[in-house]
Amino acid sequence: MTWNINKAIQKAESVKTRTSSGKCAMFVRQFLEAGGLDLTGHPVSAKDYASFLPKIGFVNIANIASRAEQTKFTNNDAVPGDVAVMEHGTHGHICLWTGKAWVSDFMQNNMWPYQGDGLVSIFRM
Protein backbone atom coordinates (compact mmCIF):
# COMPACT_ATOMS: atom_id res chain seq x y z
CA MET A 1 0.00 0.00 0.00
CA THR A 2 1.30 3.39 -0.96
CA TRP A 3 0.13 6.26 1.20
CA ASN A 4 -0.51 9.39 -0.87
CA ILE A 5 -1.28 11.86 1.86
CA ASN A 6 -2.03 14.65 -0.63
CA LYS A 7 -4.87 12.68 -2.24
CA ALA A 8 -6.31 11.85 1.19
CA ILE A 9 -6.20 15.51 2.20
CA GLN A 10 -7.69 16.61 -1.13
CA LYS A 11 -10.64 14.29 -0.52
CA ALA A 12 -11.04 15.58 3.05
CA GLU A 13 -10.94 19.18 1.87
CA SER A 14 -13.89 18.48 -0.43
CA VAL A 15 -16.10 18.29 2.68
CA LYS A 16 -17.78 21.67 3.12
CA THR A 17 -20.61 21.00 5.58
CA ARG A 18 -20.37 22.38 9.12
CA THR A 19 -22.65 19.83 10.83
CA SER A 20 -22.32 16.10 11.34
CA SER A 21 -24.37 13.55 9.43
CA GLY A 22 -23.30 10.80 11.83
CA LYS A 23 -21.10 9.17 9.17
CA CYS A 24 -17.60 10.14 10.31
CA ALA A 25 -16.17 6.61 10.00
CA MET A 26 -17.39 6.27 6.43
CA PHE A 27 -15.98 9.67 5.43
CA VAL A 28 -12.56 9.13 7.03
CA ARG A 29 -12.41 5.65 5.47
CA GLN A 30 -13.01 7.31 2.09
CA PHE A 31 -10.23 9.84 2.76
CA LEU A 32 -7.78 7.04 3.57
CA GLU A 33 -8.85 5.01 0.55
CA ALA A 34 -8.43 8.09 -1.67
CA GLY A 35 -4.88 8.19 -0.30
CA GLY A 36 -4.30 4.70 -1.65
CA LEU A 37 -4.81 2.58 1.47
CA ASP A 38 -6.65 -0.75 1.40
CA LEU A 39 -9.22 -0.74 4.19
CA THR A 40 -10.62 -4.20 3.52
CA GLY A 41 -12.20 -5.48 6.71
CA HIS A 42 -12.62 -1.96 8.13
CA PRO A 43 -14.84 -1.51 11.19
CA VAL A 44 -18.22 0.20 11.12
CA SER A 45 -17.87 2.18 14.36
CA ALA A 46 -15.38 5.03 14.50
CA LYS A 47 -14.06 4.00 17.92
CA ASP A 48 -13.03 0.60 16.52
CA TYR A 49 -10.51 2.27 14.21
CA ALA A 50 -8.21 2.53 17.27
CA SER A 51 -7.50 -1.19 16.90
CA PHE A 52 -7.81 -1.28 13.09
CA LEU A 53 -5.47 1.56 12.05
CA PRO A 54 -2.31 -0.19 13.36
CA LYS A 55 -3.16 -3.17 11.12
CA ILE A 56 -2.74 -0.95 8.06
CA GLY A 57 0.44 0.81 9.17
CA PHE A 58 -0.63 3.62 11.48
CA VAL A 59 1.09 4.07 14.84
CA ASN A 60 -0.57 5.45 17.97
CA ILE A 61 1.62 8.46 18.74
CA ALA A 62 -0.41 10.13 21.50
CA ASN A 63 -3.39 9.81 23.83
CA ILE A 64 -4.71 13.21 24.84
CA ALA A 65 -7.46 13.77 27.40
CA SER A 66 -8.08 17.50 27.76
CA ARG A 67 -9.28 20.02 25.20
CA ALA A 68 -6.40 22.31 26.14
CA GLU A 69 -3.85 19.57 25.40
CA GLN A 70 -5.69 18.65 22.18
CA THR A 71 -5.50 22.26 21.04
CA LYS A 72 -1.82 22.40 21.98
CA PHE A 73 -1.17 19.21 19.96
CA THR A 74 -3.09 20.60 16.97
CA ASN A 75 -1.18 23.89 17.04
CA ASN A 76 2.30 22.44 17.65
CA ASP A 77 2.56 18.77 16.74
CA ALA A 78 -0.19 17.68 14.35
CA VAL A 79 1.00 16.52 10.93
CA PRO A 80 -1.29 16.41 7.88
CA GLY A 81 -2.76 12.94 7.66
CA ASP A 82 -2.94 12.39 11.43
CA VAL A 83 -6.10 10.55 12.43
CA ALA A 84 -7.84 11.17 15.77
CA VAL A 85 -10.06 8.44 17.21
CA MET A 86 -12.43 9.06 20.13
CA GLU A 87 -14.43 6.77 22.35
CA HIS A 88 -17.58 8.80 22.85
CA GLY A 89 -21.14 7.58 22.80
CA THR A 90 -22.06 4.32 21.09
CA HIS A 91 -19.84 4.55 18.01
CA GLY A 92 -17.19 7.10 18.92
CA HIS A 93 -15.78 9.64 16.48
CA ILE A 94 -12.91 9.81 13.99
CA CYS A 95 -11.39 12.69 12.04
CA LEU A 96 -8.36 13.53 9.91
CA TRP A 97 -6.04 16.56 10.16
CA THR A 98 -5.55 18.30 6.80
CA GLY A 99 -2.94 20.72 8.08
CA LYS A 100 -5.65 23.39 8.38
CA ALA A 101 -8.61 21.64 10.04
CA TRP A 102 -9.86 18.42 11.57
CA VAL A 103 -12.35 16.92 9.12
CA SER A 104 -14.76 14.01 9.40
CA ASP A 105 -18.21 14.08 7.82
CA PHE A 106 -18.03 17.82 8.53
CA MET A 107 -15.48 20.61 8.92
CA GLN A 108 -14.76 20.66 12.65
CA ASN A 109 -13.85 23.69 14.74
CA ASN A 110 -11.36 21.61 16.74
CA MET A 111 -10.25 18.04 17.32
CA TRP A 112 -12.82 17.17 20.02
CA PRO A 113 -16.24 18.16 18.62
CA TYR A 114 -18.14 17.58 21.87
CA GLN A 115 -18.67 19.53 25.08
CA GLY A 116 -16.15 19.03 27.88
CA ASP A 117 -13.08 16.80 27.72
CA GLY A 118 -12.54 13.30 26.41
CA LEU A 119 -9.77 10.93 25.46
CA VAL A 120 -8.45 11.13 21.90
CA SER A 121 -5.95 8.67 20.42
CA ILE A 122 -3.80 10.09 17.63
CA PHE A 123 -2.54 7.83 14.84
CA ARG A 124 0.10 8.63 12.24
CA MET A 125 1.25 6.71 9.16
Side-chain angles (χ1 to χ4, degrees), residues 22 24 28 39 41 64 91 99 102 112 115 124:
C24 61
V28 173
L39 274 75
I64 310 167
H91 296 287
W102 290 99
W112 180 261
Q115 296 295 320
R124 184 173 290 162

Side-chain angles (χ1 to χ4, degrees), residues 29-82:
R29 175 181 52 80
Q30 291 173 348
F31 304 159
L32 299 177
E33 289 173 339
L37 299 180
D38 179 1
L39 274 75
T40 300
H42 66 82
V44 174
S45 292
K47 66 180 179 163
D48 295 333
Y49 274 82
S51 60
F52 179 77
L53 289 172
K55 294 176 184 176
I56 60 169
F58 282 82
V59 175
N60 182 346
I61 62 159
N63 295 300
I64 310 167
S66 75
R67 286 186 92 141
E69 288 300 313
Q70 293 161 12
T71 299
K72 182 179 174 185
F73 177 87
T74 298
N75 292 338
N76 300 318
D77 301 311
V79 171
D82 282 354

